[in-house]
Amino acid sequence: MYRSGKCLLVCPEVMGGLAIPRLPVEIRGGEGIDVLKKKAGVYNIRGDNVTRECIKGALTAVRLAKKYGIKKAILKSNSPCCGKGRIYDGSFKGILKKGDGVLTAALISSGIRVLSEKEFKKILT
């Protein structure tokens, strides 16, 4: 899509009903696919469960991607919702682990190719 100059900007946290600004959130007990399967959860630094909002936002973004024929997505690394390849471990100590966020998992499950911003940058150079 980047060659045609068309893109769809989304923020799954906002689309799920979370405010800006918001407290930091991380996945506990797994990664994005586990959240979608209800085997893990997304919590803010206070311990509030925001799993429902993250899933709602991810599924809304997937519906939009399908509606507009999106075939590729470029998402931010390390984010519990968008994270591609690496996410924080749920401890709020800045520790990264291998894994994908909720939106990345939902997009991949829907057949949409996902790149991190770093992977996309390499394609452009």
Side-chain angles (χ1 to χ4, degrees):
M1 296 272 309
Y2 65 93
R3 291 184 186 173
S4 66
K6 297 178 184 175
C7 67
L8 179 64
L9 302 175
V10 300
C11 176
E13 293 97 336
V14 172
M15 294 170 86
L18 297 177
I20 299 173
R22 63 185 158 272
L23 295 172
V25 300
E26 294 188 9
I27 297 173
R28 289 188 194 157
E31 60 176 299
I33 194 68
D34 302 311
V35 172
L36 293 171
K37 292 179 179 179
K38 300 184 179 172
K39 294 181 178 181
V42 185
Y43 296 85
N44 68 24
I45 197 163
R46 273 195 323 227
D48 302 322
N49 187 333
V50 295
T51 304
R52 184 176 56 85
E53 292 88 344
C54 291
I55 291 173
K56 176 184 175 188
L59 296 180
T60 299
V62 168
R63 279 194 299 279
L64 284 172
K66 288 183 175 218
K67 177 180 177 179
Y68 291 103
I70 303 296
K71 304 289 183 214
K72 294 179 193 169
I74 304 159
L75 299 178
K76 181 77 179 122
S77 297
N78 308 343
S79 162
C81 285
C82 293
K84 167 65 170 59
R86 298 180 64 87
I87 57 172
Y88 289 101
D89 72 350
S91 69
F92 294 96
K93 294 180 181 177
I95 301 168
L96 289 168
K97 68 177 186 175
K98 185 178 177 180
D100 293 325
V102 181
L103 177 55
T104 295
L107 289 168
I108 290 170
S109 295
S110 296
I112 297 171
R113 183 176 176 211
V114 178
L115 302 168
S116 71
E117 79 281 10
K118 292 173 187 171
E119 292 168 326
F120 181 67
K121 205 178 216 182
K122 287 180 186 177
I123 291 171
L124 294 178
T125 56

